[in-house]
Amino acid sequence: MSTKRRRRHSPEQIVRKLRDADAMLSAGRDLAGVLQALEVSESTLERWRRQYGGMKAEEAVRLKTLEEENKRLKELVAEKELDIKALRLIAAGNW
C-alpha cells in the first residue's frame, strides 16, 4: 500500500507539468515514464488536460481567480434569497 502524500498543485504548476508531459511524449518517452517523472497518475494528467489543456500559466491563474469569485458571488446570492424568503414570510404573517 502506497503512503504517498497528496499535494495540491497551483494552476501554474499544472500548466508547466502539462507542457513538460507533452515535451517528453514528443521526445519519444513512454507514458509510464512521463507519469513517473511528473509524479502524477494517468487520471490526474487526463483531468488536467481537460481542464487546463492549451492554456498559458497566466490564463490558468485567471481561471482559478474567476472560479473563486464566482463561488463567492453565488454564496452572496443564496444569502440574499434566504433574506427575501424570510421577509416574505414575516410580511405574510406566517412567522
Side-chain angles (χ1 to χ4, degrees):
M1 180 177 209
S2 178
T3 59
K4 267 194 167 180
R5 187 173 175 188
R6 291 182 62 153
R7 65 178 103 149
R8 296 268 180 199
H9 294 85
S10 70
E12 299 95 343
Q13 291 172 323
I14 293 171
V15 170
R16 190 176 324 111
K17 284 192 175 196
L18 285 173
R19 202 171 41 236
D20 293 346
D22 291 339
M24 286 187 262
L25 289 169
S26 295
R29 197 161 181 185
D30 65 333
L31 182 60
V34 171
L35 295 173
Q36 186 176 12
L38 297 177
E39 299 179 341
V40 297
S41 67
E42 186 174 357
S43 61
T44 298
L45 187 64
E46 290 305 316
R47 182 171 35 90
W48 287 352
R49 279 197 175 130
R50 281 192 310 272
Q51 189 172 6
Y52 295 100
M55 284 189 187
K56 295 180 181 175
E58 305 85 38
E59 294 169 336
V61 171
R62 180 72 177 141
L63 173 67
K64 193 71 168 175
T65 303
L66 289 173
E67 287 173 346
E68 289 170 2
E69 184 177 351
N70 190 33
K71 179 182 174 186
R72 186 182 58 80
L73 291 173
K74 283 183 179 181
E75 289 172 357
L76 287 174
V77 169
E79 289 175 15
K80 290 295 179 188
E81 287 295 319
L82 285 174
D83 290 346
I84 290 170
K85 287 181 182 179
L87 289 173
R88 284 187 180 150
L89 286 173
I90 291 170
N94 293 335
W95 185 34

